[in-house]
Every structure is written in structure tokens, then in C-alpha cells.
Amino acid sequence: MVASTIGLKRVVIEPVTRVEGHGKVTILLDEKRQVRQTRLHIVEFRGFERFIQGRPFWEVPVLVQRLCGICPVSHHLAAAKAMDRIVGGEKLTPTAEKMRRLMHYGQFFQSHALHFFHLVSPDLLFGFDADPAIRNVIGVALKYPELAVQGVMMRKYGQEVIKRTAGKKIHGTGAIPGGINKNLSIQERDELLKDLEQMVIWSRAALKLCKDYTVEHLEKLAPFGSFDSNHLSIIRQDGALDIYNGGLRAITADGKKIFDHVDNQKYLEYIAEEVRPWSYMKFPFIKPLGPETGWYRVGPLARINTADFIDTPEAEAARKEFMALTKGKPNNISMAYHWARLIELLHAIEKIKELLHDKDLQGTDLVVKGSRRDEAVGILEAPRGTLFHHYKVDKNDQVVMANLIVSTTNNNEPMNRAIQKVAQDDLSGHELTEGLLNHIEVAIRAYDPCLSCATHALGQMPLVVEVVDVDGNIVDRKVRGVCE
Amino acid sequence: MSATIEFTIDGKEIKGQPGQTILEAAQQAGVYIPRLCYMKGLTPWGSCRVCTVLINGRPQAACTQPIAPGMVVESSTDKVNALRRNIIDMLFVEGNHFCMFCEKSGSCELQALAYRLGIAAPKYPFMFPKRELDMSHPDVFIDHNRCIQCARCVRASRDVDGKHVFDFADRGAHRRIAVNAEAFLKDTDLAVTDKAAEACPVGAIVKKRTGYAVPFGQRLYDKKPIGSEIEAGVKS
């Protein structure tokens, strides 16, 4: 952080484009155009934690998912996991757990496909500095129509999985405290099986495309917005990647375990959040390490790094290949997020296949109840990383406290580090162009942030860049896609 | 006196019995007249005015107006439905009806009527009143945000349950459902098995811990619009 901003020029990228939600980046330049400070600001404020207070606890899984339209299933299920414990029904029936898992894998599949094909592929296919008139999803659709169609169809498939498990493609009601409100009918299963093999084929191809791109451009991508960091995720008891259930595992940049299999209910003993005055988004850190060194990354890269293995064959083979790049040590390359994300895409479709052939999904034992509790934590892996939901409920069944630490919040410090690095490496001393400023956004997109969730709104995607002189006068202004 | 009374609704000849209201006679003949405060088994109240029809050109509540020979009733016409839409619109904006997460969604009569009458969004500005929840009772709760003051709970408790748990308090814009206790529902003798606990057409008086148990596609009004069962001749 700079001690004083006096005499520095301020460049603003607002809003950041091709991300979920609304944010801005400010860059402070000195007289020699050297970057002195770069920050990602989250400018939304939503207040879910406050306004669900007083509501009936069973309403929360349905209400709180309205945080987001991209991965509402994550919030739906994290809240449901917490409410399972409130009703003493955390040991779900096989049908309930597998229906929820199917819903969650469906969401991973659609969210990862959306991110790769619609938000990221323009940067990879046309180049970071390409003409913004073609560096967008329409450009992809015109030049690579088959890829664009795949992206749309894969997202649709994931949404169809969600519809058949949650009742609706967006904002369903499937998970209820202690279980699920429906099973999967044979007809629904067969509808999903119809397009399954095509989805597997397209997932393999997308992974190959991304892997080949990364390996081919490794020299450029390896240092791009990269830095060493801790990594955090939940992990299955046997060390397998698990996005629905598991204890918390954190590792250092070189793979040493900081903690492992931490009981979700005790997360507050291990995770704390720091507030900084310039952002609505908090900065979480590993408590024993403190805010200076305790910050960590979450999401696909962190999950592949923390996992001992993946329990589906093709994704496991892909993981081994990924880890071989860094000789088995954690991969700390920001741009490797994309490769890791597509390994998860393949894993998700493999799991969907496995589940669709499981007869438990046609079971009729849907809900369990037990001894009532008044406090519970629900943690799972959302597409963008570890998601924490923590609630207290009073004897009248009303929510009296809610604390949400969402995936993108966990990645707050890493995203700031990534853009700081890119700004210093690529922007310092240069005439600023739209293409160069896109480098900043490329680094942010690697993390697939959901700024709506992170502030607990839907933002617009146009971009305004202003260069302001020392006295606050606008000396340069570039506008794209903004109605003024 | 004739055993049947003949009249018309929207040109259709209807035969009713003496003492029937327009709504009852219409229902028996398979004609659905929209309603909210009417509930079979409860004394007609005539307060919501959603069942308004034009009798020989005059607006009347079909749930309280007895039939008479030769009546010419207008019900499902653009003019009458416009009146009904206005009423539904006002009910929506006067309370806090957040269908997107309401557990009554899909089985709510207010929401179902809005869909049937083609209301996509209210035309009046939302009032966003500040209202409270009463969650004190172990099995039933009141969410005043969603109350439309139809008095079905008042009549069910008084006339069917014989308890008088609910009644209105305050006046004018401040009128609200109150309970027969110092402050809270828990201090009344309401039981979850009471008719009053299931009489609410919206999500204002709801049985606890039952929300969202019915999946999409299987809720009361997911497949057919409200009133379809009457039009299909299903006896209730």
C-alpha cells in the first residue's frame, strides 16, 4: 500500500467486464507512469446477512440463493446443509444426498462451461490485446461457431440437471431441512442420459483445448499475475476431491499442510476476516497465520492442489498431468485456474454419469429429522471456491444471526495480488491502451469472481476508463458499451 | 314458489335454488367466479370484492348476493375483470408479497388469481409497509407481511373451531389481524389441527416446518389455473 496518494495519477477501470457482478479497478501511477498501487474494489452492497434475520429457518435455503443467478445452487445447498443440522437431520438418506450431489454437479458443469466458453474464451482465442470489437462472445460465435454452440449446449445441460433435481433451472426448492423434496423419476433420468455422452465428449475437448493453450503459452502465462499462496478447500476423509462434503484442508504454497480435516462447525477457530476501508468485501485469512501471511486461494486451482486424488478416472488422469507440470507441488500459476476448472468440468460430467446410473436416485425415503439445534454451519465447494454459511436460530425458529463467507471473498487478497502483479509487469512505464487494461481484467477473470455473491446485484458490463491528474482533472477517458 | 331460480351469467342460463348466492349457484353450474375471502363452510363476508359481478349493470359481491329470477349477471367480461385486476393489484402493493421465496408460492390463491387474470406485475407503486412476524406458537406462525385481511381465519376460528383466536384490530390503513391474547399467538388456544390454521388463502398463517415440501410441478396451481376444478365440474 502506498503511504500517500498525493502526486499520483489514478486510472479507473469500471466496471470490470466479463465477470459476474459489478466491480472496479483503480491503478495509481507516478509521474514516470510506474504503477504504485492497484486495487480491485467491490462496489455493490446487498445486506442478505441482515435481512434474513427474523425469517423462519426453513425459508433460508430458498431465500438466500437469491444472492446469485449463476450458482444459486451453492447457496441453496450450503444453507440447506446448515439447516439439516438445525433439525438434526444432517445424516441424509442416500436418495437425498445423491439428489443434492447431482444438483451440485449439474451446477458445476453449467457454471464452469459458462465461464470458459462465454467469459474467458475470447481472451484465449483472440489474444489479450485483440480488438475489443471481436474479443467477446459474439466474436467467438462468428469465428468459432461450433465452440459457441458447445458452450450454450453444455450450460443448458447443466441447467437441465438442476431443473430435474431442484424443480427449476434457477432458484429451485429441492433441498429442504433434513433432505430433499423429490427424487429423480425414470423419465427424468432417461431424458438426462440422452445427451450425456455428447457432454462427456465436449468436456474432454474443452479440457484439451485449454490444456494445450496453457502448455503452448506457458512462458507467457506462468508469470502472468502469479504469486505463491496458501490454498484452501474441503476434502473428503480419504483425501479425494469432494465438492459437497468434507473437512477443511489448507496447504502452503509448497504443499505443507496447515490444517486438515477440520470440522466444519469449528471454522471460526481457523478462519477470520479483516475489514479494509476501501472495499465492501472482507479479506479472510487463516487465523493462526494472521492477515499478513494467512490469506489463501480457493476455487478450482486450490481444489486440485489440495486434493490427493480425484475419484473419477478421466479427471484423475487429467489431474496427474496437471500436477506433473509443477512436479507434484502445488501449482501457483493464476492462469492455471482455467485448466483446473476444466478438469473439474470433466469430473462433474463423470460424476453426473455415475449418479444417473445409481438406483438410489429413485428412492422414496427423502427426509430425516433428529434433535433440534440452535446453531449450525454449512460448508461446501461452490464453483468459485469454498462457501461458508453460518446461522443461529432461536427457539421460535427465527434466524437471529447469519454469517456468509462466499467463494469470491476468500479470493479477495489473491485477486488484488494478481492485478497488482500484472499492473507492475505489463502496465508500468507504458502508454495505457484498452488492450493493456484488459490484461488486468484477464487476471481477474482467471479467478471467475462473482462480485454479486461477494457482497451479499446484478451489475452492468460496460467499461469506463478514466485517467485523472494530480488535481483530480480527467485528462483521458475511454468509454465502451456505455449509454451516456 | 318455484323450486329453481333461473338467471344468466355472461349469457349462460343458470338454474339455482332459493337461498343460494350467485357464487354458489354459479359454482354448481360449473362457472368459476374469482374470489378470495369466500371459503366453503364459512359465513360469506363480502369484504375482498374480488367476486364482484355486475347485476343488471350494478356492481355486487357474488358471494353475498342471493340469486333472483331473471337476473342478468356479468362476470367474465373485460370490464369486470379489469375491476378485479385493480383489486388484486392493490392487494399486492399494500403488503409485502415476495412470491420468489414465499413458501405458499404455487399454492397461493392471490398469486394464482394474478396469473389467471394476467397480471405480470403490479401497476401501482409498492407501499413496502413495515410489518412483523409472530413466530411464538410452536406449530403455526403469522407473517403479517402477507396478510390480505380476508378474515377467513377470523371466521374459521369463530364459526368452525369455536375459539375466536383471531379478529381485527385498529382502523383504516392501520387495520390488522390481531390475536386473542396480550400479544402473541402462543398465548391463544390455537391448535395446529384447527380450521383457522389452514384457512389462509395466502402465506400469512402457515403451519411451521412444512415449507417447500411439495416440489415444483406438484403444487396446487402448477398444472391448472385456479378455478379449473370448478369449471371441470369437480364437486368440492
Side-chain angles (χ1 to χ4, degrees):
Chain A
M1 185 188 280
V2 293
S4 167
T5 57
I6 295 170
L8 300 179
K9 280 187 181 176
R10 184 167 177 260
V11 180
V12 180
I13 306 175
E14 184 183 18
V16 177
T17 61
R18 281 190 274 132
V19 297
E20 312 294 354
H22 197 114
K24 71 173 181 181
V25 172
T26 57
I27 306 161
L28 294 181
L29 304 172
D30 64 17
E31 288 161 351
K32 294 175 182 165
R33 291 186 178 273
Q34 296 299 308
V35 173
R36 298 285 298 276
Q37 182 189 80
T38 312
R39 281 173 170 172
L40 172 63
H41 305 254
I42 310 302
V43 293
E44 296 175 354
F45 181 76
R46 308 199 65 201
F48 269 75
E49 289 171 339
R50 178 67 189 84
F51 68 67
I52 60 172
Q53 289 179 24
R55 301 303 308 174
F57 72 78
W58 54 89
E59 204 176 77
V60 174
V62 178
L63 200 171
V64 80
Q65 64 177 332
R66 294 275 168 174
L67 268 167
C68 188
I70 302 298
C71 71
V73 169
S74 305
H75 292 289
H76 181 58
L77 292 178
K81 283 181 76 177
M83 297 316 166
D84 292 343
R85 291 188 64 82
I86 293 291
V87 300
E90 66 275 16
K91 288 193 177 144
L92 300 178
T93 66
T95 305
E97 177 162 341
K98 287 174 184 176
M99 281 294 284
R100 287 191 187 183
R101 282 182 176 273
L102 181 60
M103 191 192 307
H104 201 29
Y105 287 116
Q107 175 197 231
F108 257 68
F109 191 71
Q110 67 86 11
S111 178
H112 281 0
L114 165 75
H115 182 255
F116 179 69
F117 287 97
H118 296 185
L119 305 183
V120 170
S121 73
D123 293 326
L124 308 188
L125 296 171
F126 299 117
F128 302 174
D129 305 293
D131 179 358
I134 59 157
R135 196 188 61 221
N136 55 55
V137 70
I138 305 296
V140 173
L142 289 171
K143 189 158 182 199
Y144 305 96
E146 72 292 348
L147 268 184
V149 169
Q150 283 175 23
V152 171
M153 297 308 288
M154 288 169 82
R155 177 145 201 263
K156 179 175 186 287
Y157 186 82
Q159 298 289 61
E160 295 289 350
V161 172
I162 295 169
K163 183 183 171 185
R164 284 161 181 80
T165 48
K168 274 169 75 187
K169 290 177 181 171
I170 303 172
H171 300 141
T173 61
I176 54 177
I180 195 91
N181 67 10
K182 74 184 290 287
N183 64 8
L184 191 77
S185 70
I186 298 286
Q187 183 189 340
E188 289 172 318
R189 182 199 67 186
D190 291 348
E191 286 163 358
L192 291 174
L193 283 171
K194 208 168 52 183
D195 295 325
L196 182 70
E197 285 309 316
Q198 183 64 68
M199 296 303 141
V200 175
I201 292 165
W202 284 346
S203 301
R204 285 180 195 133
L207 170 60
K208 183 174 187 312
L209 175 73
C210 185
K211 180 193 75 181
D212 290 350
Y213 174 87
T214 310
V215 170
E216 189 183 331
H217 298 85
L218 196 57
E219 199 176 329
K220 176 186 173 186
L221 298 180
F224 187 87
S226 293
F227 47 85
D228 284 353
S229 78
N230 306 309
H231 300 269
L232 179 133
S233 74
I234 59 168
I235 199 84
R236 201 166 79 183
Q237 195 57 42
D238 60 0
L241 172 78
D242 193 334
I243 59 173
Y244 179 73
N245 228 351
L248 288 164
R249 172 182 282 181
I251 61 168
T252 61
D254 57 0
K256 293 191 187 76
K257 291 195 177 69
I258 304 168
F259 54 71
D260 203 5
H261 299 299
V262 165
D263 179 353
N264 289 190
Q265 305 308 310
K266 296 179 176 167
Y267 82 103
L268 276 177
E269 292 173 21
Y270 297 86
I271 305 291
E273 291 179 284
E274 185 190 9
V275 175
R276 297 181 196 169
W278 49 272
S279 178
Y280 282 129
M281 190 154 76
K282 292 177 181 175
F283 290 80
F285 59 92
I286 293 165
K287 221 169 181 175
L289 301 181
E292 284 299 316
T293 58
W295 54 276
Y296 52 86
R297 282 190 272 203
V298 298
L301 182 71
R303 285 190 289 256
I304 301 295
N305 281 333
T306 56
D308 299 332
F309 68 101
I310 299 178
D311 68 349
T312 54
E314 293 195 46
E316 172 61 4
R319 185 194 70 86
K320 283 179 175 162
E321 201 175 357
F322 179 88
M323 296 307 288
L325 188 77
T326 49
K327 299 182 172 58
K329 290 284 183 188
N331 185 318
N332 286 287
I333 301 171
S334 284
M335 291 301 285
Y337 259 97
H338 299 305
W339 183 356
R341 193 171 288 114
L342 292 182
I343 294 172
E344 291 189 338
L345 178 88
L346 184 59
H347 173 59
I349 199 69
E350 286 184 290
K351 292 300 270 190
I352 290 170
K353 184 175 182 177
E354 185 183 304
L355 283 163
L356 288 178
H357 288 98
D358 190 325
K359 293 196 181 332
D360 279 343
L361 287 177
Q362 281 78 50
T364 53
D365 194 3
L366 304 182
V367 181
V368 288
K369 297 265 164 69
S371 300
R372 176 82 151 68
R373 295 188 182 92
D374 56 10
E375 184 172 359
V377 176
I379 302 181
L380 49 67
E381 290 294 324
R384 290 152 185 83
T386 316
L387 173 63
F388 302 71
H389 279 219
H390 180 191
Y391 303 99
K392 290 181 185 172
V393 178
D394 71 9
K395 64 181 173 41
N396 289 339
D397 298 330
Q398 286 173 285
V399 175
V400 291
M401 189 285 291
N403 183 37
L404 314 179
I405 308 177
V406 305
S407 321
T408 296
T409 305
N410 290 304
N411 272 339
N412 198 357
E413 180 68 27
M415 287 191 294
N416 274 285
R417 298 255 172 175
I419 60 172
Q420 175 75 17
K421 173 113 186 349
V422 172
Q424 279 172 340
D425 289 352
D426 293 13
L427 271 60
S428 264
H430 290 87
E431 187 75 30
L432 293 186
T433 61
E434 192 279 342
L436 272 178
L437 290 173
N438 185 50
H439 287 210
I440 298 279
E441 296 185 77
V442 168
I444 296 171
R445 283 180 207 122
Y447 290 83
D448 186 14
C450 182
L451 309 180
S452 310
C453 291
T455 52
H456 313 294
L458 292 174
Q460 295 179 5
M461 294 298 163
L463 174 71
V464 179
V465 182
E466 289 177 348
V467 180
V468 185
D469 72 11
V470 182
D471 302 318
N473 302 312
I474 296 171
V475 294
D476 194 10
R477 189 165 193 271
K478 287 191 167 59
V479 178
R480 83 176 175 212
V482 183
C483 298
E484 292 189 299
Chain B
M1 197 173 176
S2 165
T4 58
I5 295 174
E6 295 182 8
F7 66 106
T8 64
I9 299 179
D10 298 332
K12 182 181 177 182
E13 290 190 3
I14 309 282
K15 289 179 181 171
Q17 278 77 51
Q20 279 186 319
T21 61
I22 297 173
L23 189 140
E24 288 165 346
Q27 183 149 334
Q28 192 175 287
V31 174
Y32 172 69
I33 299 177
R35 78 289 301 267
L36 272 174
C37 72
Y38 173 85
M39 186 180 193
K40 194 175 179 190
L42 303 183
T43 312
W45 189 253
S47 71
C48 77
R49 315 310 280 188
V50 171
C51 69
T52 295
V53 291
L54 299 181
I55 303 168
N56 303 331
R58 263 183 66 208
Q60 292 285 347
C63 73
T64 54
Q65 183 67 35
I67 55 173
M71 267 181 169
V72 177
V73 178
E74 267 184 68
S75 177
S76 190
T77 61
D78 290 348
K79 186 176 176 182
V80 177
N81 281 331
L83 289 170
R84 290 173 184 151
R85 271 193 287 273
N86 267 334
I87 293 167
I88 303 286
D89 261 347
M90 288 190 281
L91 286 171
F92 268 109
V93 301
E94 181 263 352
N96 297 310
H97 298 276
F98 299 114
C99 299
M100 72 287 277
F101 63 81
C102 177
E103 62 188 271
K104 194 76 179 225
S105 190
S107 302
C108 169
E109 293 181 32
L110 181 69
Q111 182 194 48
L113 274 173
Y115 282 130
R116 176 163 178 132
L117 293 169
I119 301 172
K123 62 182 177 183
Y124 300 116
F126 287 103
M127 294 168 73
F128 297 122
K130 184 170 170 47
R131 296 190 187 164
E132 302 296 330
L133 273 76
D134 182 345
M135 297 280 292
S136 62
H137 193 282
D139 302 315
V140 180
F141 74 99
I142 310 175
D143 188 341
H144 289 280
N145 292 288
R146 304 169 184 157
C147 180
I148 56 168
Q149 302 185 9
C150 65
R152 276 163 51 162
C153 57
V154 175
R155 288 172 284 153
S157 185
R158 183 190 65 202
D159 302 344
V160 180
D161 304 327
K163 291 185 176 178
H164 210 128
V165 169
F166 301 101
D167 213 329
F168 289 107
D170 295 333
R171 300 176 63 133
H174 302 291
R175 187 168 134 123
R176 61 188 166 81
I177 282 287
V179 295
N180 187 15
E182 191 72 29
F184 298 111
L185 192 60
K186 72 178 170 60
D187 301 320
T188 69
D189 52 359
L190 178 79
V192 69
T193 48
D194 286 356
K195 183 76 172 171
E198 58 178 43
C200 185
V202 293
I205 297 176
V206 185
K207 291 177 186 173
K208 281 185 163 183
R209 298 175 295 278
T210 59
Y212 317 103
V214 181
F216 286 98
Q218 294 178 31
R219 302 171 307 174
L220 200 52
Y221 304 119
D222 275 344
K223 289 186 177 146
K224 289 183 178 169
I226 189 169
S228 300
E229 72 289 356
I230 292 171
E231 290 164 328
V234 179
K235 304 284 183 205
S236 61

